[in-house]
Amino acid sequence: MPPPATKRRKLEQSEDESEGSFADFGEVDSAGSEAAEEVNGDDSDVSMDGPVDAEDVSNDEDAEESIAQRNKKNTPAAAATPAQKAPKRPAATLQDGAYTSESFKSNMFKLQVDELLEQVKPKYGKKEAPAENAMRTLKTIMESMPSRDALPISEAEKALKSAGIVVPFPSPRPPKDAKYKLAFERPSSINATGSYPLKMATKSDDGIVIDLVVTMPKALFQDKDYLNHRYFYKRAYYLACLAAGIKAEKKHKFELSFEKWHGNQLQPILVVRPNGDGDADDFSGSKARINIIPALPENTFAPNKLLPTSNAVRPKGGDEDEAAGKTLPPTPFYNSAVQSDANITAYLKLLYATATKADAFKDACILGRIWLKQRGFGSQLRKGGFGNFEWAALVALLLQPNQTTGAQPLSPGYSSYQLFKATLQFLARHDLSKKAVVLQAHNITISKGDTTPVFFDGPRGQNVLFKMTQWSYACLRQEAKATVEMLSDTVFDQFDSTFILKTEILKLKYDATLEIPLSALSLDPASDEYDQQLNGACRKLYETLSRALTDRVTSISFTMPAEEHWSITAKRPHEKQRRCILVNFATDPANANRTVDHGPAAENKQEAAVFRRFWGEKSELRRFKDGSITESVVWSPKDVSVIEQIVRYILQYHKIVQEPEQLNFSGDAFAHLISAGRVQGASGVAPFLPIMNAFATMEKDIRALEDLPLQLRSIRAADAQLRYASAEPPTPGHAPASVVLQFEGSGRWPDDLCAIQRTKIAFLLRIADLLTETESEYTSRVGLENPSQPASNQAFLDLTSATGFTFRIRIYHDREVTLFERQLKDKTLDAPSRESAAASLALYKREFVHAPLHSQVLQTLCTRFPALSPSIRLTKRWFSAHLLAPHFSPELIELLVVRTFLQPYPFAAPSTSTTGFLRTLAWIGRWDWRFTPLIVDFSSTFSANPADLEDAGKQKGMQASDLERLTTRFEAWRRIDPAMNRVVLFAATNLDEEGTTWTDKAKPEKVVASRLTALAKAASSAIRADEDALLRRINGSKDTDAALRPESLFTPSTSEYDVTISINSKYTAKASGKRKSTGQTFKNLEIQHATRITPATPALPALFAQDLLDVYGDSVLWFWDPEALDKIVGLWNPLTTGQRSWKVKPGWNSVPVKVKVSEEEKAKGKDVEIRVNKEAIVNEIRRLGGELIKSIEVKEV
Amino acid sequence: MAPEKALKRKAPTTVSDFTILPLTLPALPGLPASHTFTQHYLYIKPHEPSAYSATADRSLFLANIPIDASESSLRALFASQLGGARVESVEFDSSVPAAPLHKRWKAERRDDDEEQRGKKRKRNDVDVVAEGVVEDGESALPSLWASEVRRSGSAAVVVFVDKRSARGALKEIQAAAKSGRTVGWSAGSGLGVERYKSHITLTHPSTSALQSSINAYLSQFNSLETHRAKLMKHARTVPDEDGFVTVTRGGRAGPARLEEAEKKKAELEERRKNNGVKDDFYRFQNREKRKEAEVNLRKRFEEDRRRVERMRERRGRVKPEA
């Protein structure tokens, strides 16, 4: 009977398991509900170990039993589920995997999310204990404070002043003649709230924040206290009394200060920081701060008085108006502020209830916190007013089953990722500033005129988003949209761009920044209305700018100076007017540089008048080509960007800024480093138009030749200059641009590679002949190449057009690939022959197949993304400046930049060369090429094309399986060549799955790739440091570090190189450039010259450098700047040139060295070793270079 | 630099069976002060090739030659500074740019050539390479460089006019090495600007020169092609010592193109797929498919987990960027 027995045992086991897990849930449930009960029953003497120590409670009392139970139950199954019992997060199992395939993006995504959650959650252990202790101490202190009798305001203030406390009254200050009195009584309850007790806190560099809510007794307030700030005065006094009480406590010492809660001056709070003394009350080790927040007991004021539509601040002497029934303007912000004080506990309850109902709620909140933090959002008014609390409340409300948001309610069974994504989807889809969402409240109508978003939570009577501004809401939606978009990417998992990357880096995220010192706004910081005025100024700024810039910008956001806390013994300080506001613009490259803005037609009198009023004298009536006569504004396309012109003009015209010279506008700061670096008009390819036109003409002329022996199939560009990607736009006299010419197929070609090459030369000679016969304006000459490989292409035709552009034509014959492949497989050939065939095949594929294809794609992309061409050119300039260019094929550099444009997440595609360049550098700095391939999906761009969408059945674009295949290929390379001697970087595209086309044969070598990473990292951290300095400056710091000069990123350091060869200035690239320019002083001479322009010959130092590469192979690494060619520097390769035992052919010039060895070894001739003969090599180089070399310096060891 | 100089003076004179000959390099302007007195080391021994060669006993093998060594400079070195031995020719093992590489068949085929080498060369019989032809002066493309340089640390075989000069030269070298007599190396000619300027001119040869070289090449190629076809036919018909006939391209049936064969194969497979039993016909097939899918899922999950673990190992924990 054995089989049934085992069966039964199995069943039992599984039952046990499931029961065990049920018990788990049960326990969590009970703990949770208990906590909630504690919260509910807060009228009684609530103890500290309420929600804070929810876990403690359960552990101490009944939980002990349940744990014991669980243990018992688990014992039989323990062997099967050891992971569950482990103290750490249980290892992910397959069950998770099967389950995640639907509820998470991918396995990888899920595993990374798990890892992330584990990392950011505080441990609630030893580290946090001191802070919790401090919290208990504070609670005891506050509970034992004596009551203070009701006093008139001035007396109450005086009484506290003697205790050294200044009451943090909000402005406007309470009137002198106020009839009400201020009093203090023991708090009715003290509770920890917020993310810390809810276990939704995240670790961060600023430490954790623990909110301690002190509910004021209801008896202190009267029904009408909600009016005219009266409640806030009482609250401020209450807070001051708490501060006085804690300060007076002799036994315990804390560091106290006041702060505006979320930057709202109506609601000051008391912030407790560790005293740093190291005594029992010091909680520095916890890296925490405790906020003491006074709260209003629920239902103190009638809720209908504080709806967003009612008025609670009556104008002075306005009692009669009210009596007259005149409707006063509503005060939604004030009302919501009062309500938010009353709702603290109510929201805590809501979040608790949600957390017990939906398991993944807490994790979703943590993901939301991380997401918000990386995007620079926070609850602070000045940070946009959407922070952790707002996120949690929003998710909780969306989880309500009967919510009436118009969106699908979220299901409590969703995974954390699903909750996170669905919430973002809600934010992205619904414009709450246009159509307010009102939950479970029917009598509310939100006025349409308001531009701030409304998400009204009926049961609690509060607009959750009341702190948001028009612009912060627009930014939030934009970010949500972008994230939803990137999460729907099926190929790449986008985990890093969603959670890991910090998005709010101004230099990377925005294209232009306007710095406005507060003093430029001419506000009075001492005024009662300062905060409102500043807010008003910002709103006006936003409205004016967004109206003036129209579709030139895609987003405008504000970076405000941070709020500061102040001492409890002082009045709230006035804001320093030295501080600045930053206005950040993300531009749309297609429109940003438009020079004409069309207004309404002249007949439309009313609108025209409005337009004129807005633009002032800049507006003029113009007649356009299409016959229309409209009001319009015209900007000059001069050096200053159009956006800067508009911003400066409009701010001055509308008198928002008094002194426009105080404004500091910066944008596209790196563009001047290359010629035509700014996007001109709507395209970035304008400087390349002459050569592209010449190319088109040449193609036409060749096609027109009648006597060609074979029909022409195609002429395709295969050169950086013909795909808008050369560092310098080509001008007459440039280096020849490669072009690939293909004839129609023919059976008359010889079937032998060497003979094919000779036949090609015959064809080239024939074309040259015919062209000069018919079109005399071309000069042509045939050149030779690859003398060592007779089977590779042997010749090219340089064709110079009348306009001075030169094209280098090579003939592509598609039979060659078959012949090479046959040789590769032919086992009767000897090894060197097959190696040569492999090398020739790679060269053939690169030159004739991939280069034209790559050029074609780049041409399309450069016209699609106006900033792509200048970004590539800037990046190439950077590579050259750091002498790295010879080690990277230009196509690889282009791919690196294209990646930034096609996979721009978490940003949008760059719209200036500066952002394109800086983001590329940031990515290179992060790229761990040892373990990650570079994969560019060209097809993703074409999805936006409607023509492609039509035949969607063909499944265009990269699939997840394609990515997997590429990854497998990459991993195979790493297995074959783990030391990375042959392939270091792996760069594949959907068109070129090989991945090594541009990087094979150690191009770059590992050392060079590491140097690239180091340089990119250094550049990125310089950018970060510059940004930090800027932020310090807008916060009023006086240490004005000089701003980062863009040039400094392009200054190479050559100190670490072993050999520096300085080129004679007669032969450097600059010198030859100068010679050319002197010839152009006279226009007539220039014209004469133009008729016989010859293509630039390769610079002599470049040929010399190539010789050095060939002669010294891998024993010396050579670096130079191909654009300047003023020096060539070298590095001894330590791997190959270290001292070693004697060898006849080590591959480098050696010097014999005697070493001490035993007699026995000596007999074998092992007493001589060799090392590289550096002096002789330097001498050799000097002889090889001859007059080219000015001097050679050698680094002294 | 003092200790290094001392080291230099004590430099060994022999290593295994090589004699070490220091060459004093010319002092040149523009070099660091410490580089005024610089020596280059040649390793020299009698030439002992693995295969028999007629000239071996009157040749010396030179390792680690300077990059600007040429036949004339070595000739001058022996003539003026090493006893005046007369050099017949010099064979270098490397050059920049490298000599054209002709694809050849493996050794056993070349053996035939070796036998023929001694005989008088007949155009059609010699040097049947796997592709193209070995160019002679007429059919070769014009050279791109006026002079060659050597790769760093390469070697050369110097062939002397007779046995005695070779032996004399070696003796002279050994004496010079032992006595520490200064042997100088003078810079090669045609380097520097001259070398690169001439290269630029040579890159674009005249049309007529090109045309005539192509014509010569193609006619040589045609005649060689017929010869190659003959050889192949020969290989097809003659059995080897085991009695097997080698299969070569171009048999009687006429060659089937590889592409065509592959296309046919794909076609066949397609037909079999359409006609055969579909693989979801039987229940067990479905079951196995499901099982396989599950296994795959499991495998992929495990893979992903390992990947994440590796990721954690190398870049630390997953942490949001500050």
Side-chain angles (χ1 to χ4, degrees), chain A residues 1174-1191:
Chain A
K1174 295 182 181 175
E1175 289 83 5
I1177 288 183
V1178 169
N1179 194 294
E1180 266 173 7
I1181 293 170
R1182 182 72 186 78
R1183 301 200 304 267
L1184 180 64
E1187 282 166 67
L1188 281 178
I1189 298 175
K1190 189 169 77 191
S1191 66

Side-chain angles (χ1 to χ4, degrees), chain A residues 971-1025:
Chain A
E971 280 164 1
W973 265 114
R974 285 294 181 256
R975 262 198 306 279
I976 296 170
D977 178 21
M980 288 182 258
N981 289 324
R982 184 164 165 202
V983 173
V984 180
L985 304 186
F986 183 95
T989 69
N990 58 323
L991 300 177
D992 169 22
E993 297 201 342
E994 207 102 326
T996 54
T997 306
W998 314 115
T999 57
D1000 201 1
K1001 302 232 173 95
K1003 195 174 170 44
E1005 293 198 41
K1006 202 169 151 192
V1007 206
V1008 183
S1010 309
R1011 178 152 175 87
L1012 169 71
T1013 304
L1015 283 171
K1017 266 196 183 134
S1020 304
S1021 56
I1023 293 290
R1024 285 290 195 92

Side-chain angles (χ1 to χ4, degrees), chain A residues 1067 1100 1184-1189, chain B residues 190-199:
Chain A
Y1067 299 105
L1100 302 187
L1184 180 64
E1187 282 166 67
L1188 281 178
I1189 298 175
Chain B
L191 296 179
V193 177
E194 193 190 328
R195 172 173 163 83
Y196 302 115
K197 277 200 169 151
S198 73
H199 168 68

